[in-house]
Amino acid sequence: MNLIKFKNITKINHLNIIKYSFFFKKRRKFNPFLKKNIGIFFKLPSTRTKISFEIACKELGCNTIIIDEEKTQIKRGEDVKDTIKMLSIYLDLLIFRCKNNKEMEIYKKYINIPLINALTKNSHPTQIINDIFTIYEKKGNIKNKTILWIGKNNNVFKSLYEASKIFKFKIKKIHKYNKKTIKNLYKNCDVIMTDTWVSMGEKKVKCKLKIEKKYLKMANKNFIIMHCLPMYRNKEINEQILEMKNCIIWKQAKNKLFTSKAIIYFFLL
Ligand code: CP
């Protein structure tokens, strides 16, 4: 089984991953995989996903192999299918980040160990697994909750949308700035989620999408503000909002330590 898209996993299995995340949050020292070898191959920058997966592997007792494409024979023209074959022989699981969805599909086609998509242009399933866990932790459940998404129709949003179908929560979205309609969308929201305007590998864009502090009072009591990071301060989110108690972005980011472990545990069990 692979995790290329959020919807590749059934609800029961997602609930298992949430259960494991709670377990690993309570029990940091549990290293059941002393003989497992995990490849971590990131072709794009990463702070949270890569580091949390590296720590997760180490704490689970796995051996981690950081793959730098520049230092592989792919750079000298080895057919990527042959490289994938070798990765399948040497490793027990591969965590892979690349921009191109087709490249992820090629890895999926030829690999015969679990493949975890750590972000492509079209999806970011491990982020949304983390965010769903964080909402469970803060709200007790996610069913029938309303999430207001303020951002582009990007990889994180696409995975969030898949999650909404599985977990039965409502999404209101602001993909384009429209002063007249935005205000009403804050009404009855439990979670306000935003993301950077510029996805990795994209050109800088002019954009006005941001969390509007003046409308937050219209959201439900105890609403939370989330951002998967990296953020651009005073663009999609301003510093006053970061200081609000409702803003849980650092807790959300810390949870990647536990959800990364839970994902590896699920696939190696
Ligand atoms: N949210 C997220 O994927 O962060 P990184 O790009 O730092 O991994």
Side-chain angles (χ1 to χ4, degrees), residues 7-209:
K7 65 184 179 186
N8 292 153
I9 298 184
T10 61
K11 184 172 180 190
I12 287 176
N13 284 332
H14 272 298
L15 289 171
N16 280 330
I17 293 176
I18 290 170
K19 190 174 73 184
Y20 302 150
S21 302
F22 277 112
F23 171 83
F24 283 118
K25 192 154 184 175
K26 277 206 190 112
R27 201 166 154 201
R28 202 81 192 249
K29 288 182 186 158
F30 176 58
N31 52 2
F33 298 133
L34 292 174
K35 290 185 182 159
K36 300 290 185 185
N37 296 307
I38 296 192
I40 298 184
F41 185 8
F42 278 53
K43 295 179 65 166
L44 292 169
S46 171
T47 300
R48 282 141 287 271
T49 313
K50 183 164 182 280
I51 295 172
S52 65
F53 268 117
E54 279 191 59
I55 294 171
C57 290
K58 288 202 168 79
E59 290 189 356
L60 286 167
C62 307
N63 187 27
T64 47
I65 295 91
I66 307 297
I67 301 163
D68 174 358
E69 193 181 44
E70 290 296 318
K71 293 181 180 146
T72 69
Q73 296 289 8
I74 297 173
K75 277 286 145 185
R76 291 186 56 250
E78 182 175 37
D79 191 312
V80 74
K81 295 200 277 292
D82 297 338
T83 304
I84 298 169
K85 190 164 182 68
M86 293 317 305
L87 297 177
S88 301
I89 291 169
Y90 292 145
L91 301 173
D92 297 291
L93 182 144
L94 179 67
I95 300 159
F96 183 41
R97 173 175 284 195
C98 65
K99 183 177 169 196
N100 193 320
N101 308 306
K102 282 190 186 146
E103 187 174 358
M104 185 63 72
E105 287 300 322
I106 290 169
Y107 273 71
K108 180 182 155 197
K109 184 169 176 191
Y110 292 103
I111 209 157
N112 55 28
I113 52 171
L115 173 65
I116 309 297
N117 171 4
L119 178 147
T120 63
K121 193 168 186 285
N122 267 0
S123 67
H124 198 357
T126 65
Q127 182 63 47
I128 293 303
I129 287 173
N130 182 72
D131 297 352
I132 301 288
F133 168 67
T134 305
I135 294 168
Y136 261 85
E137 191 183 37
K138 294 287 162 199
K139 301 264 165 216
N141 207 332
I142 194 166
K143 192 174 175 191
N144 297 330
K145 297 276 184 285
T146 300
I147 297 182
L148 173 62
W149 171 266
I150 303 172
K152 302 187 92 186
N153 183 12
N154 65 5
N155 47 10
V156 178
F157 178 77
K158 286 177 178 142
S159 293
L160 181 70
Y161 180 79
E162 288 174 15
S164 74
K165 300 291 162 207
I166 295 172
F167 281 92
K168 311 283 180 226
F169 59 86
K170 188 173 168 191
I171 302 182
K172 296 197 224 175
K173 55 183 191 288
I174 305 174
H175 286 326
K176 278 194 185 151
Y177 184 78
N178 180 339
K179 204 174 172 185
K180 281 187 194 145
T181 56
I182 281 176
K183 184 178 167 188
N184 283 335
L185 291 170
Y186 283 74
K187 257 187 211 161
N188 305 323
C189 288
D190 302 290
V191 180
I192 294 159
M193 230 184 235
T194 188
D195 195 3
T196 175
W197 304 336
V198 189
S199 291
M200 266 183 288
E202 283 186 355
K203 285 185 192 150
K204 287 203 169 162
V205 288
K206 278 194 179 168
C207 187
K208 286 186 178 175
L209 295 171

